[in-house]
Amino acid sequence: MALLIKLAGGHIYDPTQNRQGEPGDLFIRDGLITSAPGTDAKFDQVYDLSGHIVMAGAVDIHTHIAGGNVNTARLLLPEQHRNHVARRLRTALDRATLPGSIDTDGEPVDHPFSNAKWSTTDTGYRYARMGYTTVVEPAMLPINALDVHLQMADIPILDTAALAILGNDDLLLRLMRAKASQSQINDYVAWTLHATRALGLKVINAGGANAFKSNARHFALDDIVPDYGVSSRQILQTLQTAVCQLGVPHPVHVHCNNLGIPGNVDTIVATMEAAQGLPMHLAHVQFYAYGNEGAKGFSSAAAQLLEAFNRHPNITMDVGQVLFGQTVTISGDVIAQYSRHADASPGKWVMWDAECEGSGGVVPYRYREASFVNTLQWAIGLELFLLAEAPERLFFTTDHPNGAPFTAYPELIRLLMDADYRQAYMARLNQEALAMTLLPNLKREFTLTEIATMTRSAAANLLGLHDRGHLAPGAIADIAVYDPQGCGVSIQMPDPFANRAKPDYRAMFADAALVFKNGRLMVRDGEVIARPAGHAQTIQPALDQRIERDIQNHFDRFYSLKLNNFKIEDVDISRDDHQRFQRVGLL
Amino acid sequence: MTEITEVPSPFCGIGTDDLSIQVDGATLKVIANGCAVNTPAFEQAIADATPRIAGQAVSLEAATTKAAELLRGTNQPVISGCATDVNGMRALLALADKSGAVVDNLNFNNARRNLLALQDSGWMNTTLAELKNRCDLLLVVGTDLEAFAPRFFEKYLWNEESMFLDNTANREIIYLGKAPSGNASTSPTGQNANVLPCADADLPDVTAVLSALVKGHLLHAQSVAGIAIADLQAIADKLKAADYGVILWGAAAMAFDQAELTVQTLCNIVKDLNQSGTRCSGFPLGGKEGDQTANQVCGWTTGYPARVNFARGYPEYDPYLNDTQALINNGEADALVWVQAFNSGALPPKADLPTIVIGRSGMKFEKEPDVFIPVGTPGIDHSGHAYRLDNVVAIRLKKLRDSGLPSTAAVLTAIEQAL
């Protein structure tokens, strides 16, 4: 493996170092970015990147890529991936005739399962091709953690992490009902993060899934969980306080109440107020930027949401953009999922109650261009992006696969960076819905620096992953290089704007020219050429081990397995846990 | 001699993990919390530990090399059984990918009844801990639950305490179809289950009537398959009145044509009850001998449950065409790999094909396979992971003894490397 690599003359976009496209060189030594090695240095490899765009590897803070709901969705929808396969390079003959299957070290690369759509391999490959190198599964029930880690270990190339879910588990609610101290709760949260090998904490419609089991069908911020006498607000604030006091870098990651309901902007604004000035991340907020005005009782409240966002610098948000086409919604918010099961398309769906910790729901859905509701959702997401004043607090997601599959990211980038393209696209959509939004009049175009902020520097920072998301010496050499002319298969798509000077950003971001992970070349011209295993990022806050007695007691009395058997071990077929898991520093 | 406690079982499917097992060299003895399913499966002695080619003892390397030789140049090998742990399935799928094989789990024809219902209309299901803490009414349809898992009632219904029931002995148990073979379903206070027996083949009619009654339809018939409509009406009323009713079925026991439609009827009854304003959940049995593990791992690796064909270089799912027995009957298969690490009594289907068996030590063949490689059992001879019947929980299997037997994953990986 090459020791010293030079990436020469690329246009470098690195918001952390305030580099905004000036041509420059980057150097990689032993998997890390290093400073210029001096004039007499001998390079093992030099890449001429003149005319290319260079960014850190992208980081996705919220994408459902592993776990019980994800696998259930796979098994529910065989017809969705049946038609998306292509013959892969399998035989020795194929290898000899197709040089793409030889990696930079001259080793043949086998690609098992790379054409199995929506498989773990496909997830790693498609993210890597777009220049993503770190992704976070945001919804890991503790009891499902082993399943999540087994699946994530089979995602090649990418580093992964998962957020553990609390807030609907009977143990927390029993502790709160018994007036447990905040420090006891903190210990329970810390124990959970350890036991599940998580990077942070997720709260999904706090108390709602628990209430659903007691036959509630709606659950708002001040509703009380049956049998427990605690409100959603109390649960949320208690867990937020725990995350803050434990020094977990990633703020509590919140899926609010009332997802998808017209008028729910009031809910998300009330949740911002409930955060009491402390850090809190609000997920896929497009689904909460809904008013209830107009003839159909459904309107955009993007401006109202952003006004509140601007008043709350402690809040970060990701958008959860909707894009058109077939997808499947998967969520631990069983109340929201159950309430829209009738919209399932195709008409089949799954709900499940999960081991006294939560619930889940899987509802396939097709977002349609002609639909008033879907066009409005699409426009609201774009309004949020284009009207927001602080790209460093607003993150780029589709809540994969809920708003759209992550493979639609390049399309979304183009919509944000190209006002002509956006305007032309709107002609295809429901005009009644568009007329209710500000979008047709928004001319803003995102810059490459803003894209790099949302998808790289701010994203890594939000997760506490300070070794990535930037290109300063010392960072791990996760690097994406894009060709404004496009490369790979995406440039073959017809494009009515081909005659302008502006690049086709969709083609550019769909197939990176080069992607390095830990300094090793993974993707060349949009094609994966190596598939090493990634690492899982974890956090290990300090705790008073005495909490384990309470947890042991709960397990012995009420659970379906022994506490000692509730551990994450040996998840990777070929590597030890100490190689698989990496520990991230506390605040 | 050592004693190992809190041993999880891969055999019963319900994730029992409280066994105590005494280990004396290679001899295991279940000394606490055994049952008719788990105890013999753990205690079975190691028989043969040496691989064979055409009945002759050979080295492991010779056996895996020979296996690769048999697979090389085949057009449609079939890797069947698929009874192993997560790593075993990972290696099995890699071998299937490389050799262009069909992957087919031995319980798939049973699981298919559930999967077809899932893939056509979906379901609302629950999991063991919820059942343990919330279920106040259990309707068992067409299956002898205690024969499936002898300790099911003891562990999940008659548990001392639950979070949401004042007295677990007050749970109501109703059987529809098969009657229970013992009295495990009798409550600790002596309350017997209410049993409404009918023949398996009558379950489609009986569940259709129950569905109609749950929907509130009026029926003119007075009885169906010997069961009074009034008795079924009483079940419908109880389901509507329950706080957390659960309808449990065992697809393996529904051995009649189009049983998937009966599964679907049950799933739709659950949906209708929820729609009418009460809570109710389904609970399908399964998880025996790695079947849930096979479907889960195949799910994330290929997108499909464990009946896929890699012959074209990508996975293709077909719940009928990729059936091992059908492929053998039609002369489509040209080699058979049988993987069964849990049960030495589960032998490969009869076929006049080059046959490789990766099996639990102690298999007795009517016809000696071309290659036999005895392997360790996950949860006895090596550690590993297995999925419980309710999917959400993967259990960590323990290594209990040093038998020297290789794991399924090690053997299949060696064959794949040799290809």
Side-chain angles (χ1 to χ4, degrees), chain A residues 573-574, chain B residues 60 64-65 67-68 71 79 84-96 98 337 339 358 373 375 406-419:
Chain A
I573 189 167
S574 55
Chain B
L60 179 59
T64 55
T65 305
L71 289 174
I79 307 180
T84 180
D85 62 345
V86 168
N87 279 348
M89 274 308 293
R90 283 167 160 164
L92 187 151
L93 287 160
L95 176 62
K98 188 171 269 184
V337 182
V339 178
I358 316 295
I373 305 177
V375 289
S407 68
T408 313
V411 170
L412 292 175
T413 302
I415 296 172
E416 188 226 323
Q417 300 293 320
L419 254 188

Side-chain angles (χ1 to χ4, degrees), chain A residues 324 368-370 375 378 425-432 434:
Chain A
F324 298 102
R368 293 165 202 274
E369 293 179 342
T375 293
W378 179 87
Y425 198 102
M426 278 188 260
R428 295 152 58 171
L429 306 181
N430 184 297
Q431 298 304 308
E432 186 189 356
L434 286 173

Side-chain angles (χ1 to χ4, degrees), chain A residues 443-516:
Chain A
K443 301 298 177 214
R444 180 176 169 194
E445 292 181 335
F446 270 67
T447 64
L448 286 168
T449 294
E450 286 170 322
I451 296 292
T453 300
M454 285 194 303
T455 58
R456 272 83 172 168
S457 56
N461 208 33
L462 181 71
L463 297 167
L465 301 174
H466 301 300
D467 61 351
R468 65 196 69 197
H470 62 87
L471 298 168
I476 58 174
D478 290 1
I479 302 167
V481 177
Y482 300 102
D483 183 350
Q485 308 301 314
C487 61
V489 295
S490 300
I491 46 171
Q492 291 155 16
M493 291 186 203
D495 182 11
F497 300 98
N499 295 327
R500 298 176 311 158
K502 189 188 281 291
D504 175 348
Y505 288 112
R506 181 176 59 196
M508 182 177 115
F509 282 102
D511 288 305
L514 301 171
V515 177
F516 296 86

